[in-house]
Structures are given as C-alpha cells and as structure tokens.
Amino acid sequence: MGTNEGDCRVVVVGAGAGGTLVATHLVTALSSRFRVELVDPDPATGRGPAYSTTDERHLLNVPASGMSAFPRDPEHFLRWLRRHHDPGFQPHDFAPRAVFGRYVESLLTTAAEFPGNARLVRRHAEVVDIAGSGTGFVVELADGERVEARAVVLATGSRPGTHWAPEELATDPRLVADPWTQGIPEDGDVLMLGSGLTMVDLAISADRPGRTVHVVSRTDAVPQRHVLPTTPPVPPPPGVTRVQGVDRLRSTLLRHVEETVASTGDWRAAIDGLRPVTAQLWRGLPEADKRRFLAEDARTWDVHRHRMAPATHARFEAVASSGRLQRHRGTIAAVRASEESLHVTLDDGTELAVAAVVNCTGPVGSIAADPLLTRLARAGLVRPGPAGLGIDTSDDGRVLGTLPETRPFLAIGSLRRGNLWESTAMPEIREQAYDVARVVTRSLHGESRRRPVDPYGLTLSTHRRAARRYNAALGRLLRLQDGVEEGLTEAVAADPGFVQAHAALALLGHEWGATTHWRASLRAAHRAASERHLDDRESSFLDAVTTRLRSDEPTGAAALLRHVRLFPRDALAVSVAVPTVAFGGLTSGSQTAELVESLGRSYGDDWWYAGQLAFVRQDQERWGEAEELSSYALSVEPSSGHAVHARAHVFYETGEHAAGLSWLDEWIRTRGPEANHRSHFSWHAALHELMQDDVEAVRRRYHRELAPSVVGGSRVVVDSGALLWRGRVTGTWTDDLPVGEVRAAAPREWLAAPPTPFAAMHGAVLLAADGDAAALAGLARHASRSEDPVFRDVVAPLCAGLVSVVEERWDVAAATLARVVATMDPLGGSKAQREVVEDTLVHALAMAGRGAEAATVLDARLSRRSSALDARRRAVVVGASAGTSTGRVSR
C-alpha cells in the first residue's frame, strides 16, 4: 500500500439494511482516527430491495416489537416510531417498510454526527473487485478508483435472477426483472411469476379496476398470515436437533405442529418455537438432504415462516375476492412478443396476453448470479456455501477462502444463507451486524485471533487455556457437579486478568453461602476489568454481579434478571436466577415459569435447558411433559443434575415413591459421587422413604448421607435441618433428634440475617427444630425490617408462627401458619421444600385438637398423591378428634 491510510479504513460493500447497520456499529465503536466507507451505487442508504418501496401499504411482516436494530434494546424501533412516525404506535402493529428504511438510515446519520466517532464516507459506486494486499485489501470500483482498506465487510445481499425466462422474454423491455427498481405499466393485465411476499405487495400496488393480475407459481402457495394476539412460541420437541436425515426430520416436525395445534389451536406457535434451532437443524443435514429440502420443503417452510401482516392479508384478499387476481399453478413454457402484448403460454396450455411479466421469484442465492462474487470466487477469496447458497462463512461471519483467518474479511445477511439457512430477517441481521462489527473493531485494534467462547457461544476475554478451564467449570455447574469453584480458581490462576471467571467466583460464593472469598473475587474482577477490553456481555455480567452483591436483595435480583433478559444464553447467570437444587433463585411460581419459558427462544432443545424446563413443567403439574423433557436431557447427558431433580419431583408428586426411590438410589450410587449438592438428592430419597412411613430407612439415610459429617454449608440447613424438622412434626422422629450438630455446622448468617427468603425459611425451620424461640424472634425482627416484601410479608409471619409452635401456643400457631401456607410461593424453591410449612400447620392443628381441620389439609395432599405416612397421620388426627368430641381423649 502506498500510504498508511488503509490501515484505518473499513469498507462495507452494500448499503442495504444489513450493511448500514454494520456501518452504524463501526462508526460508533471506532474513534475519529478511523474511516468507515459504505459503498453502494444505490442513491438511498439503509433500504435495499426490502425497504426501498414508497407505498405506505407495503408493511413489514414482523410486528414493531421484533424489529429493533439493536439486539440489547428490543424497544428501540418502537420508541423511534412513536417519536418520528406515530405517537400511538403499539408493539403488535406492523409498520410500513418505507418507514423502517428511514429508521435504519437515521441510525447511521445520528452515529456519524457525533464528533468523537469514526468518520463516515458514503460512496455511491459499484465494487467490481476485491484483492488482498499486504495485510489488508484493495477494493476496486467501477470507475477505476482503488480504495485501500484494513477490513472489508460484504453486505451485498442477493440479486434477482431471470434464468427462468425464455429467450424472447429475457430480451424484451416488458420483462420487469427487478420490480423494486423498475416500474410496472399503468395499463393492461400483468403476470407475476412467483407467489411470495414480493408478489403480495406488488399485487396490492398494481391492482386497479379493469386490470387482471395473473400469479403463476409452481406450488400456488402464498404466505400465511399473522394472527393477533399471537400465541407464545412452543419449544421444539426434545431431541429434534439430533434427528438424522430430512425424512425423519420432516415427520418429527409435522408431529410437533400437530401436537401444538391440538394444545394451542395455532400452528404458528410451533413454527416460531423452532427459531432457536433452525440453523442447527440445517447444519445437521447432509449436503444431499439440504438440496432435497430446497427442492421439496423450502417453499412450505417459507410460506409458514415468513407471514403477511394482518392488514396486508386483508388487502390481498380484497384484490383476490374482487376477481381481479387469478392464480395459476405451473410455469412459463413459452412467450411470443407482439407490439400490443406479451403472449404467455403456461405449461398446462393456458394462454395469457399481458402488458408485462413481473419477476417475483426473489433473489438468486448462488455465486454465479453476482458478478463481484463470481470474480472473487475465481481468485479463491470466496467459495460457495452449503447447498450452493451464498458463500461459505464461519460462525462469526468470517469469509472462508484462501485468505488467512487473521485477515478481517466478513459477510452478513443472505450471503450466509448456506451456513445458516435463516439469514435474511431482522432478528438474524441485527445480531450478525453487531457481531461482525465487533470482530472488525477488535481486528483494527490489533486483536488478530478469535477470542474463545463458552458452550453457548458467548465471548470470553482470555486466552484459550484459561477458557478451557472456565468452560470445564461451567460444564460442571450445568451438570450440578462438584469442582465448580475449584475449576474457576484454576481459570484465574491461568489468567489473573480473567474478569468473567473472577466475577463468577464472586457470584457463586455469595449465592452458595460463603462469607469471605466472594468479596476478594469481586475486587479482583474490577481490578482486571480496568486493564482489559471486555465484551459487552462480560461488562453487563460484572455490573449485574456487583449490584447483586453490593445492594439490597430486590435491587440485586432486578440487576441480574435484567442481565439475563439482555443475554439469555448466559447460562451461569440463568442458573442463579432460576430456583434450582443449587440456588434459591430470584423468581418464584409463575415468574419462574415465564422466565424459563422465555429462554426457549435462545436454547431450543439444549439438554441443560430441557432439564430446567422439566422442573418448571413439574411445578405446573404437567407430569408427562416433565418426564419427557428430563428423560431426553438424561439421554444426552446422564449426569444432568437438573433433569434428575425434575424427575425426582415427578416421582414424588405423583406418589410413585417405591419406583422413585429405586431409580434415585441407583443414580446416587453411579453419578452421585460427582454431584454437587448431592445431599439434596439424598433428601429426595429420604422424602420417598418418609412418605412410605419407613422411619428406620430415614434415620439410616440421615446418618449415612445427610449428617454434618458429610454435608456442609447451606445444604446442611436446606436438606439436613429441614428433614429433621419434618421428622419431628410428622411424628416419625421425635427422640434423639440430632439438631444441635446441624445447627453448629450451619452458616451463621442463614440463622440471623439470611441472604434470601428461601434461606430464611430453612433457617427458621432449623431454629424451630432446636427449640430456640429467642433466635426465631430475632429472625422475625430482621425480616420485618427488610425492604423485601417477601421477607416482611411471609418470612416474618412464618417466624412468628414457629415461635408459637416452640412455645406450644397451638391455636395461635395454627392461625398464623395457615396464613403463611396460603402466601408462601414467593419464598422460592419447590413445592416439596415449602411443604415443610404445611406439615408444621398439620402438627399445630392436631396439637390444638382440631383434627378435622388437619385432616382436611391432609386430604388435599392425598388427593394429589399417595402416601402411607399421610394416610396414617390422617387416621391419627381423625381418631384423636373423635376421641376429644366424645370425651374419651383429653388434651
């Protein structure tokens, strides 16, 4: 290169929506010493074929809520609409496509106006060649000018093709080859070849009295319509990404759609739920099956996946019902041109005389359709993508060819369709634009190699050796295995500046009840962050962890939940947010269900997510679904602790105590030695033994698997202490109860100032088991002063009720605990864990001589599941009640 200017220049080829968004991110991310050149001969910016229309009747086919240009700000477009287009615009409304084009252009204009940002140059020119030069590129324009650049981004999209046109038509000016740049005649009938969304818009525009619009397509399939209100997406069937071959995949998806229609009445929910796994399904097909899908299934997929706005559908139906639109199934066989008309013969013999033939077949995805790509392919800079679609790219958008990986040459949009299949809609484009701009920015700042990623593709700002150790620790966390903190400690030893690992250690130390090292880990994270350029997810995680650890419970919970909403594939953060074996969670009840179900759009049929969803389904008493999900997760990862946990609850809640105990004991024997929080699985096994009224088995398991000699930390409270109290209030273990040793091993703050309501419930239960009314009263005072309403409204009354139990004021205890039982869902954890409060209520009612009321509580439980223990207790309280009423038994 003749100068150094090219070292500070990025060229983005293509100024449609994708290229404009890439340029916007680059202009914002780079300083004023850099130049971003956006090159495209089109006079407009940010529009391309999709948004170049000026007809306000042409609407987006995605509601405004799904069209934000920024992945982490889903309401950005909606706010812009209300400010610049219509103050009353609603999230479910469909905006005009022309308005969206103005929106995209405005983003770049705004970014370019800020003086500290990179300089923007908009070149209205055509790129005819790109060549490597030194460590950069030379971009050649049609006028002969050569532009030096350090990085190049291809955002050219795909061009419409007319290979289908007979020779006589191909050379006739009455062929409208590109309807977005060529006009359709005002008079005379027209023929539109193709029946997709382009045809729908053009048919609406071309419609007028006295004209017939003929639509010709091979399948006669037109896009389906959106229905409002929308049905929430239904997660894909478990294991769908492991289905082999297009035939089995087709039958699996058809069955999924049928089941979704049966359960929701709307097939759209099934199609929308496939979005997170679409690329994985496509990549999993062999090359021959990809081509079969294109030939046999692609059209069916497109008309169901890419739907019309309701208003567009109504307009299209109005044209059709007027008789001015006629649909023909077939292809064009021949064309004869006369001075007055084009005489078109279809392959079924139908003859039509039209003023124009309009190409609505859509863009051609092959390299051969684009002169620039053809030239680059000859030079080896690009190669065809899978199934001949677009060009071959890596996961982060780098173009695969003869150039080394360190050379920043990237692509976005439909060019990546061969690798991703779905790569043209805004949800995909905005993620690609952000990711591609990030790769380019790092390259310009001297970072030539890709940063490693975690199992869900999230960037880790460290070297590969430390990343491997972090990922191993994360894998153990997701499987609920021991060694998580040790693995994270090894990661920061390998890289003391590894911010994510330090922050993870801080968060887990805090949530798991440690009282010392998490503060040091948080300080280390901030020291490292001041010296390292972090990914935005890592910055968000550090901010959320800091707020969580340094503020009150509601503020900290809100911060972490916001991070999860912005970065739903941050599985470590999700693990803390959702109530599990390991964590009390930041949500409860329907909030937990809403959170986990919303994550389906990001995880698809991932085994870890399947285990999380299985737990939600069992909590919703959808036992069959919970069993299917947990079985699938265990088939992929036999050590999946979340799936085991969910399945244990299914066995318990359905009363399958013998089968559940047998299965769980086998898992504890084979996989349990590696399991973190293994005591909770032992607690579940003991619960089965308790429900079978096998008191000696409960005692043996406690001493073998739940005593403080083998259990420590918070688990000694949640599992060991809760089991002992349950034994006492159910009358199954009343003598030599080893409460003292459990209390001595318990984390002190869990008994005096617990970090969460879930911890407080278990701390209170342990204090009750130890008969410490004074400590319970102190915990009640602490809870009543909390800013968290769950502490004030649930934990404080629970402590008061337990004080009454310890002091044997049974009627007062029963009245207080009855109110707590009705409102305790926000405590978190599972129903089986919160049931200890219900057991205490039954005990208080029985001791108060109110056996009929105690029996009513037990009847409700027995109606859900069998239990020898509860049946015996019911018989005892009913008998005691009868004895009291006849005077045979006195209190």
Side-chain angles (χ1 to χ4, degrees):
M1 294 184 178
T3 70
N4 291 325
E5 188 175 16
D7 290 341
C8 297
R9 180 187 283 140
V10 185
V11 171
V12 180
V13 184
T20 302
L21 287 182
V22 171
T24 300
H25 288 305
L26 288 170
V27 167
T28 304
L30 296 170
S31 67
S32 57
R33 76 183 182 92
F34 292 95
R35 178 185 296 182
V36 177
E37 302 208 4
L38 184 59
V39 186
D40 191 312
D42 196 298
T45 300
R47 288 166 173 77
Y51 312 115
S52 61
T53 178
T54 58
D55 191 332
E56 291 285 312
R57 294 172 298 177
H58 294 169
L59 304 180
L60 297 170
N61 68 319
V62 175
S65 58
M67 290 296 290
S68 170
F70 299 104
R72 315 303 170 216
D73 188 357
E75 295 184 353
H76 188 272
F77 179 50
L78 183 61
R79 295 197 304 272
W80 186 93
L81 280 169
R82 289 172 173 172
R83 192 177 305 120
H84 299 284
H85 178 65
D86 180 355
F89 216 88
Q90 296 301 308
H92 59 267
D93 290 340
F94 293 77
R97 291 200 281 118
V99 170
F100 187 78
R102 294 200 297 271
Y103 163 67
V104 174
E105 183 179 30
S106 74
L107 301 176
L108 182 58
T109 301
T110 301
E113 289 173 348
F114 189 78
N117 287 347
R119 294 166 290 163
L120 173 69
V121 176
R122 175 66 171 93
R123 289 180 181 265
H124 297 279
E126 181 182 3
V127 174
V128 296
D129 197 11
I130 301 169
S133 177
T135 59
F137 302 87
V138 172
V139 179
E140 184 178 341
L141 307 183
D143 62 5
E145 185 176 358
R146 295 161 64 86
V147 179
E148 298 174 338
R150 175 70 179 278
V152 172
V153 178
L154 295 177
T156 55
S158 300
R159 301 188 178 194
T162 57
H163 58 281
W164 50 266
E167 184 177 352
E168 189 168 5
L169 176 61
T171 58
D172 195 292
R174 288 169 290 188
L175 170 62
V176 182
D178 185 352
W180 300 116
T181 60
Q182 299 171 251
I184 298 174
E186 289 293 321
D187 300 316
D189 296 348
V190 295
L191 183 153
M192 297 186 175
L193 187 68
S195 58
L197 290 169
T198 296
M199 178 279 296
V200 171
D201 280 342
L202 294 175
I204 291 171
S205 295
D207 176 53
R208 60 207 50 168
R211 160 178 280 177
T212 298
V213 175
H214 296 279
V215 178
V216 179
S217 68
R218 293 180 183 275
T219 62
D220 191 32
V222 299
Q224 297 290 316
R225 66 184 176 94
H226 284 281
V227 172
L228 298 175
T230 59
T231 304
V234 172
V240 67
T241 57
R242 290 167 175 80
V243 172
Q244 298 294 312
V246 73
D247 292 315
R248 285 190 59 199
L249 180 60
R250 184 188 295 129
S251 61
T252 299
L253 295 183
L254 284 174
R255 186 166 59 252
H256 173 57
V257 171
E258 290 168 358
E259 292 172 354
T260 300
V261 171
S263 62
T264 70
D266 189 359
W267 55 264
R268 296 164 184 81
I271 301 300
D272 294 344
L274 292 172
R275 188 163 205 150
V277 298
T278 301
Q280 198 173 349
L281 293 175
W282 172 255
R283 286 195 294 264
L285 292 175
E287 183 74 6
D289 278 357
K290 286 185 174 75
R291 294 183 183 274
R292 274 190 63 199
F293 174 85
L294 293 176
E296 300 171 9
D297 303 285
R299 184 61 185 153
T300 300
W301 170 262
D302 284 342
V303 299
H304 289 86
R305 172 68 185 84
H306 302 286
R307 304 189 281 272
M308 287 187 265
T312 300
H313 178 264
R315 288 169 180 149
F316 182 71
E317 286 298 305
V319 177
S321 62
S322 72
R324 296 192 297 274
L325 184 140
Q326 294 185 17
R327 288 158 60 178
H328 309 268
R329 183 169 184 165
T331 60
I332 294 176
V335 176
R336 180 176 58 83
S338 70
E339 187 174 338
E340 298 81 16
S341 302
L342 290 170
H343 301 273
V344 180
T345 302
L346 305 184
D347 57 358
D348 65 356
T350 301
E351 294 186 2
L352 305 170
V354 296
V357 174
V358 183
N359 180 21
C360 301
T361 59
V364 177
S366 67
I367 285 177
D370 188 310
L372 173 61
L373 296 180
T374 300
R375 197 162 183 176
L376 296 180
R378 291 196 191 110
L381 271 67
V382 304
R383 65 193 186 205
L389 297 177
I391 60 176
D392 202 9
T393 59
S394 63
D395 289 344
D396 63 356
R398 296 175 198 257
V399 176
L400 299 178
T402 56
L403 292 176
E405 179 187 293
T406 54
R407 193 83 61 93
F409 186 36
L410 297 102
I412 181 176
S414 60
L415 295 175
R416 297 173 64 180
R417 200 164 179 232
N419 297 94
L420 303 173
W421 175 242
E422 289 286 339
S423 188
T424 57
M426 185 48 58
E428 285 80 30
I429 294 297
R430 65 184 171 217
E431 290 284 355
Q432 291 178 23
Y434 176 81
D435 291 342
V436 163
R438 182 174 55 184
V439 171
V440 171
T441 300
R442 289 173 177 168
S443 177
L444 294 180
H445 286 117
E447 188 174 321
S448 59
R449 295 192 176 275
R450 299 188 212 179
R451 294 187 187 184
V453 297
D454 77 1
Y456 294 102
L458 301 179
T459 300
L460 298 174
S461 297
T462 186
H463 53 68
R464 297 191 183 279
R465 184 161 56 93
R468 283 195 299 271
R469 294 178 179 180
Y470 175 89
N471 285 337
L474 179 57
R476 300 189 74 80
L477 176 69
L478 300 184
R479 293 190 296 272
L480 293 182
Q481 292 179 320
D482 275 335
V484 177
E485 290 178 293
E486 292 82 354
L488 292 173
T489 300
E490 290 175 3
V492 297
D495 176 9
F498 193 175
V499 177
Q500 177 72 18
H502 281 301
L505 272 171
L507 180 62
L508 298 185
H510 177 269
E511 301 300 317
W512 283 343
T515 58
T516 54
H517 78 265
W518 66 260
R519 293 180 176 84
S521 294
L522 186 61
R523 288 193 296 271
H526 280 279
R527 281 196 303 271
S530 66
E531 300 176 357
R532 185 162 292 186
H533 180 68
L534 297 179
D535 175 83
D536 61 341
R537 190 272 311 194
E538 294 169 307
S539 295
S540 174
F541 182 72
L542 178 58
D543 289 345
V545 170
T546 302
T547 304
R548 173 74 175 154
L549 274 54
R550 289 181 174 172
S551 64
D552 58 85
E553 174 66 22
T555 303
L560 202 59
L561 288 172
R562 179 179 180 276
H563 171 77
V564 168
R565 285 194 298 272
L566 293 176
F567 301 94
R569 287 178 69 82
D570 191 336
L572 192 150
V574 173
S575 294
V576 174
V578 176
T580 65
V581 175
F583 304 101
L586 309 179
T587 59
S588 61
S590 61
Q591 292 176 315
T592 299
E594 290 169 8
L595 172 60
V596 173
E597 287 166 351
S598 73
L599 297 172
R601 305 185 202 110
S602 301
Y603 288 95
D605 70 341
D606 172 74
W607 66 266
W608 170 76
Y609 175 70
Q612 296 279 16
L613 186 59
F615 192 80
V616 167
R617 292 291 179 254
Q618 69 78 28
D619 202 47
Q620 296 169 330
E621 301 184 5
R622 294 159 67 173
W623 314 121
E625 293 175 62
E627 170 64 20
E628 181 185 14
L629 286 162
S630 58
S631 295
Y632 160 68
L634 289 165
S635 73
V636 178
E637 176 47 75
S639 296
S640 173
H642 293 294
V644 173
H645 190 212
R647 200 171 195 205
H649 275 276
V650 171
F651 279 122
Y652 178 71
E653 297 295 351
T654 57
E656 297 290 334
H657 300 302
L661 178 60
S662 176
W663 176 80
L664 196 52
D665 264 339
E666 177 63 14
W667 190 88
I668 291 171
R669 184 184 68 80
T670 57
R671 303 281 176 177
E674 281 192 293
N676 195 1
H677 308 287
R678 68 180 66 86
S679 66
H680 190 64
F681 300 111
S682 295
W683 175 84
H684 268 283
L687 214 55
H688 281 308
E689 293 165 337
L690 193 64
M691 291 302 104
Q692 294 180 88
D693 211 9
D694 191 345
V695 179
E696 289 308 312
V698 175
R699 288 172 179 253
R700 286 195 301 272
R701 188 174 299 274
Y702 172 83
H703 290 298
R704 184 177 69 246
E705 300 173 19
L706 290 164
S709 59
V710 291
V711 179
S714 59
R715 297 252 63 109
V716 80
V717 183
V718 173
D719 299 320
S720 311
L723 181 66
L724 293 180
W725 178 243
R726 205 155 180 164
R728 172 170 287 176
V729 296
T730 58
T732 55
W733 191 351
T734 55
D735 59 320
D736 68 343
L737 204 67
V739 176
E741 64 181 24
V742 172
R743 182 170 180 177
R748 292 196 176 195
E749 66 173 350
W750 274 54
L751 305 182
T756 65
F758 175 80
M761 176 187 77
H762 285 90
V765 162
L766 178 57
L767 292 174
D770 202 28
D772 195 337
L776 276 168
L779 182 55
R781 288 192 296 273
H782 171 79
S784 65
R785 293 192 296 267
S786 173
E787 296 182 3
D788 184 347
V790 181
F791 269 101
R792 295 195 309 269
D793 301 338
V794 184
V795 173
L798 170 61
C799 292
L802 292 174
V803 168
S804 297
V805 170
V806 171
E807 295 176 349
E808 300 185 359
R809 292 182 289 119
W810 302 116
D811 283 309
V812 175
T816 304
L817 292 174
R819 291 192 294 272
V820 172
V821 165
T823 60
M824 65 179 174
D825 283 3
L827 287 171
S830 67
K831 290 178 182 176
Q833 288 172 310
R834 297 190 298 272
E835 211 172 64
V836 69
V837 181
E838 189 177 79
D839 276 322
T840 310
L841 170 61
V842 171
H843 175 63
L845 288 168
M847 296 302 292
R850 294 155 62 178
E853 294 173 64
T856 298
V857 176
L858 291 170
D859 282 340
R861 187 185 295 183
L862 286 165
S863 69
R864 300 196 310 270
R865 63 167 183 268
S866 63
S867 166
L869 172 66
D870 286 345
R872 178 177 64 78
R873 293 170 71 201
R874 185 188 186 284
V876 170
V877 297
V878 169
S881 179
T884 300
S885 64
T886 60
R888 291 194 302 270
V889 177
S890 60
R891 288 174 56 206

